[in-house]
């Protein structure tokens, strides 16, 4: 038995970005600092709308001759099309990796299979574990015979408090700060311009991010994604993904932090569907609930 947990993330696909201008192309387009990814080997990132909302979120890995973009399979073709739209005359090659290419997550331990073309610590949060990319069959053979499924990995991700596009929020709906991308290394505030940069920079420097993804817990069953979180009949935000855990449920929710503070100060219970919930900030969060005298 392997001394770690692992799962093939069958809902992820890989886009390869290569060519002599690949670094410059990505640096001027996505939220992450590609110079830093060149140094570290991996980073979280997003492609935004001109209005600063998340159009796609993904991870980027640096290899010897290219960048690999780890994105949800359901929107990977659309992401490739959008990248091609922005390419113009840049000397960049864009392609989907072959069908047999797989993405694996490894947690509660580490693995170093020889067949992997990428082996990195998840750049968002070390507690998420490793990400591996390589030929699916070979990686499966090397990792072991008892893989977890994607849902088990998602339970691990939710317990770490990390939101993902499509699973927790819809694209074109929220800003990077809402998704905590600024907290998870997915946004650079020091590099040059990229699509949507002015809006994101303004939110950051003015400190006006009032909505954040946080963890929620309940002794009951949480409803489906998109359910309203409320207090005294007033909306505080919406639920993302959730899972059964510890005899109850845990989940992620995009909430107005000032309204959560108000509800707590007033002793008002928070509800999501029929479930009463409590709010917990992720351990890695550098943000906090507003002080009582600053809440609306």
């Amino acid at each position: 038995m392997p001394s770690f947990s692992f799962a093939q993330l069958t809902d992820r696909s890989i886009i390869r970005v290569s060519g002599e201008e690949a670094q410059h192309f990505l640096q001027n387009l996505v939220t992450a600092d590609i110079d830093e990814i060149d140094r570290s080997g991996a980073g979280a990132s997003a492609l935004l709308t001109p209005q600063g909302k998340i159009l796609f979120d993904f991870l980027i890995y640096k290899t010897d001759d290219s960048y690999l973009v780890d994105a949800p399979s359901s929107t990977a073709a659309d992401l490739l099309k959008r990248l091609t739209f922005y390419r113009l005359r840049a000397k960049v090659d864009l392609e989907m990796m072959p069908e047999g290419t797989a993405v694996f997550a490894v947690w509660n331990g580490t693995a170093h299979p020889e067949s992997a073309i990428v082996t990195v610590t998840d750049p968002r949060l070390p507690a998420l574990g490793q990400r591996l990319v390589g030929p699916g069959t070979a990686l499966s053979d090397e990792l072991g015979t008892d893989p977890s499924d994607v849902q088990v990995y998602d339970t691990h991700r939710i317990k770490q408090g990390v939101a993902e596009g499509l699973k927790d929020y819809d694209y074109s709906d929220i800003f990077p700060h809402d998704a905590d991308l600024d907290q998870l290394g997915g946004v650079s505030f020091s590099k040059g311009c990229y699509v949507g940069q002015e809006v994101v920079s303004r939110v950051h420097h003015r400190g006006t991010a009032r909505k954040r993804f946080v963890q929620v817990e309940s002794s009951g069953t949480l409803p489906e994604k998109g359910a309203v979180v409320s207090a005294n009949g007033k909306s505080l935000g919406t639920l993302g993904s959730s899972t059964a855990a510890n005899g109850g449920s845990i989940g992620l929710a995009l909430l107005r932090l000032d309204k959560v503070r108000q509800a707590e100060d007033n002793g008002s219970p928070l509800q999501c569907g029929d479930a009463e919930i409590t709010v917990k900030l992720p351990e890695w969060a550098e943000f906090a609930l507003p002080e009582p005298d600053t809440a609306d």
Side-chain angles (χ1 to χ4, degrees), residues 82-94:
R82 183 57 62 106
L83 293 173
T84 302
F85 171 80
Y86 279 114
R87 180 177 57 183
L88 301 176
R89 296 185 179 181
K91 296 177 181 178
V92 175
D93 295 317
L94 302 164

Side-chain angles (χ1 to χ4, degrees), residues 179-207:
D180 301 331
L181 272 178
D182 62 313
Q183 304 275 299
L184 297 167
V187 183
S188 172
F189 299 102
S190 60
K191 73 168 188 171
C193 292
Y194 53 86
V195 177
Q197 180 264 342
E198 290 185 8
V199 175
V200 174
S201 180
R202 184 162 60 246
V203 170
H204 182 72
H205 292 296
R206 291 182 179 177

Side-chain angles (χ1 to χ4, degrees), residues 82-137:
R82 183 57 62 106
L83 293 173
T84 302
F85 171 80
Y86 279 114
R87 180 177 57 183
L88 301 176
R89 296 185 179 181
K91 296 177 181 178
V92 175
D93 295 317
L94 302 164
E95 60 182 344
M96 297 294 300
M97 291 287 282
E99 188 173 327
T101 305
V103 179
F104 282 78
V106 174
W107 65 101
N108 296 331
T110 59
H112 301 280
E114 293 182 358
S115 60
I117 58 177
V118 167
T119 301
V120 296
T121 299
D122 194 303
R124 297 168 294 182
L125 190 70
L128 285 172
Q130 294 175 295
R131 300 286 275 217
L132 313 178
V133 178
T137 301

